Amino acid sequence: MNKLIGTLCLIVLAGVMNSILFNVTLEDMAIDLKVNSSAISWIVIAYTLVTTFGSVIYSKLASYFQIKKLLLIGVTLFTLGSLIGFYSSIFTVVLIGRIIQAMGGSSFIALSMITATQYIPLPKRNVALTLIGGCLSLGSGLGFLIGGIFTFTWGWHSLFLLMSLTFLITIGIYFLFPSGYASKERITEPFDILGMFYLVIFVTFFILGVKLNIYLLFLCIISVFLLGLHSKNKKIVLLVDPSVFRNYSYNRLILISFINNAAMVATLFLFPTLMNRAFHLSVIQIGFIICIVAIVSFFISLMIRKIVQVISNGKSMFLSILLQLLGFCILAFFGIHSIIMAILGLFLIYSSYGALTVIINLEIPQHIKPEKAAMGLGMYNLINFLGMSFGPSVSSRILSVYTNIPFVLQCFAVLLVVILLLMFTGRKNSQLSLKRNVSLEKD
């Protein structure tokens, strides 16, 4: 069982690292591939698009096909895309390789979460979910440093070659993963093709609306309306089942997770620019700082499982958000004047992100009915990816109007204050619900 957990961690680590690696080398890629900055940005946008809606699709396919087979297909596609990117110097072909990478990589986190929740015994399950949460923060720090070192030493092609080594994980998947389905038993009803189409529209226009043109968000709203109408079809197993959103606690958790991921990835987007402008640090120096902070934060996140046994998940979550808010305030008000304060702010943000991710990973399965586990986890991963896209996109939009980085950090501090208000609202609603239940029992 420990070997299975280790394999899950490697898969998640590879997926997170790959999403960060190429952010460091976009300028070099644009020069070598002879395209402008607008075109090269599609290397990131396309990967984000496919990974986001792919996570939900894989979660649903796991009820039709064995998780092991889907992961083997995912790793194979990921490796194929990596090799295409490594051997090509034509922009279109590199972009296709990146898309194929995403088609495989979108299975990594989604299927790892399902495996940990459904097939790892309870005594080890929390350990697995804790490690997966820790790897999400560790992978981003390692990705930034490794991306900078590999690009500086061997060029951006080496990043594709590095990611192709993920194929070695197929050995662990083949021998260690259970041959089961997300819903324990295989679903035989037709796959929801129309629901998938509406979901692709939603994800595409949400990400492009935030990144490129805000008016595209209207099409995103229309797709949500169409998904709602489509959900009334009782003859098929829905790709997106609105019933999972009837649980207030679940909704609150995924909203908190959305803001948590948006704030963290926005920090990774803003911190290098801040350090370069204020202290003239190189990409590798900045990557080294982020990597060290990520490693320390990873070990801190491993202690969260022990902490929540002493104090409740709710209190742990509240303290994590409070520390993250403090980190943003330190980075916004003092980070531009002192590198020590900047690193302290980054450390608080990173550590709190890892802790909050672990706590939510432990909480989410408790608020989903067993028969809706794949759907609930799929939507949870979708929201996380949307948050990761939302953070840097909104940051770049604000920077295009206000060139003041501390102002952007202050905006995310306000979002964290909103999360704290949600925490109080959730506690109040829970108390009211408990009182209603008690009064009904008395009657």
Side-chain angles (χ1 to χ4, degrees):
M1 193 56 64
N2 290 337
K3 292 180 180 179
L4 173 59
I5 295 174
T7 305
L8 290 174
C9 291
L10 286 175
I11 294 170
V12 172
L13 206 57
V16 177
M17 281 179 57
N18 190 62
S19 65
I20 300 294
L21 282 175
F22 291 87
N23 293 350
V24 183
T25 186
L26 289 179
E27 291 184 10
D28 293 336
M29 292 180 74
I31 294 171
D32 290 349
L33 298 173
K34 298 179 175 61
V35 294
N36 56 33
S37 57
S38 177
I40 202 66
S41 66
W42 281 97
I43 295 292
V44 174
I45 294 174
Y47 187 87
T48 304
L49 279 171
V50 178
T51 303
T52 302
F53 61 73
S55 63
V56 178
I57 293 173
Y58 271 108
S59 296
K60 193 62 180 179
L61 285 175
S63 297
Y64 291 84
F65 304 96
Q66 292 182 2
I67 296 173
K68 176 192 289 189
K69 290 182 179 179
L70 286 176
L71 264 175
L72 288 172
I73 292 171
V75 174
T76 302
L77 284 172
F78 186 82
T79 306
L80 177 62
S82 300
L83 293 175
I84 290 173
F86 175 69
Y87 285 109
S88 179
S89 295
I90 301 171
F91 172 70
T92 306
V93 179
V94 172
L95 181 60
I96 291 172
R98 188 72 169 147
I99 291 172
I100 295 174
Q101 254 195 345
M103 289 170 63
S106 55
S107 68
F108 292 0
I109 297 176
L111 297 183
S112 295
M113 286 284 293
I114 291 174
T115 302
T117 305
Q118 298 286 81
Y119 288 97
I120 293 181
L122 189 59
K124 293 278 188 178
R125 186 180 304 161
N126 286 349
V127 175
L129 292 172
T130 300
L131 287 170
I132 289 173
C135 286
L136 289 173
S137 59
L138 178 62
S140 58
L142 290 175
F144 202 98
L145 178 61
I146 291 173
I149 292 175
F150 272 62
T151 302
F152 179 79
T153 308
W154 296 291
W156 58 267
H157 280 95
S158 65
L159 300 180
F160 282 108
L161 183 62
L162 173 66
M163 285 294 98
S164 68
L165 296 177
T166 305
F167 188 73
L168 297 174
I169 300 178
T170 56
I171 300 172
I173 295 173
Y174 184 81
F175 289 104
L176 300 174
F177 270 64
S179 299
Y181 304 90
S183 53
K184 298 295 185 179
E185 295 181 1
R186 184 181 181 183
I187 292 177
T188 56
E189 288 84 352
F191 187 78
D192 187 7
I193 300 293
L194 189 57
M196 181 180 71
F197 175 71
Y198 291 146
L199 178 67
V200 169
I201 292 176
F202 168 75
V203 170
T204 301
F205 287 111
F206 178 88
I207 293 176
L208 295 183
V210 174
K211 285 182 178 288
L212 304 177
N213 192 324
I214 196 170
Y215 293 108
L216 293 175
L217 291 176
F218 288 109
L219 295 174
C220 180
I221 295 171
I222 292 172
S223 67
V224 172
F225 176 72
L226 292 173
L227 274 170
L229 290 177
H230 179 66
S231 67
K232 296 179 181 179
N233 187 348
K234 305 298 183 182
K235 297 180 181 179
I236 58 174
V237 179
L238 297 170
L239 180 69
V240 179
D241 187 352
S243 65
V244 297
F245 298 108
R246 291 173 187 166
N247 186 317
Y248 175 83
S249 297
Y250 174 80
N251 293 338
R252 182 168 58 91
L253 284 170
I254 62 173
L255 181 57
I256 291 172
S257 186
F258 175 86
I259 297 177
N260 183 43
N261 281 282
M264 181 64 237
V265 181
T267 304
L268 286 177
F269 172 75
L270 296 168
F271 186 79
T273 306
L274 181 66
M275 291 298 95
N276 182 262
R277 288 183 185 179
F279 308 107
H280 308 290
L281 298 182
S282 67
V283 172
I284 294 180
Q285 287 174 320
I286 296 168
F288 183 76
I289 292 172
I290 294 175
C291 185
I292 293 298
V293 169
I295 291 172
V296 176
S297 301
F298 171 74
F299 286 109
I300 290 176
S301 67
L302 298 184
M303 296 187 291
I304 295 301
R305 190 172 59 89
K306 298 293 184 182
I307 293 174
V308 296
Q309 293 175 355
V310 179
I311 58 178
S312 66
N313 284 353
K315 290 180 180 178
S316 301
M317 199 180 299
F318 179 82
L319 290 173
S320 298
I321 297 169
L322 204 60
L323 286 175
Q324 193 172 41
L325 176 60
L326 178 62
F328 269 97
C329 291
I330 291 174
L331 195 57
F333 294 106
F334 306 106
I336 199 167
H337 305 294
S338 168
I339 192 170
I340 300 298
M341 297 303 289
I343 294 173
L344 175 62
L346 179 69
F347 171 73
L348 289 174
I349 294 170
Y350 235 113
S351 300
S352 303
Y353 166 78
L356 199 54
T357 300
V358 168
I359 294 167
I360 295 175
N361 280 355
L362 295 174
E363 277 280 298
I364 280 285
Q366 300 177 26
H367 299 281
I368 309 172
K369 294 179 180 178
E371 64 272 16
K372 303 285 185 182
M375 171 64 63
L377 292 173
M379 296 310 299
Y380 167 59
N381 285 310
L382 171 67
I383 295 298
N384 285 344
F385 284 121
L386 289 179
M388 291 176 187
S389 174
F390 179 82
S393 300
V394 167
S395 299
S396 62
R397 278 186 167 273
I398 297 174
L399 284 177
S400 65
V401 180
Y402 304 99
T403 57
N404 190 351
I405 293 178
F407 175 76
V408 185
L409 294 168
Q410 291 164 26
C411 291
F412 281 96
V414 172
L415 284 178
L416 291 170
V417 172
V418 172
I419 290 185
L420 290 175
L421 294 176
L422 278 175
M423 293 291 295
F424 284 115
T425 305
R427 184 180 300 176
K428 184 178 179 181
N429 286 347
S430 298
Q431 290 172 348
L432 288 174
S433 178
L434 182 62
K435 287 179 181 178
R436 290 193 197 101
N437 292 336
V438 170
S439 62
L440 286 172
E441 288 176 2
K442 289 180 178 179
D443 294 339

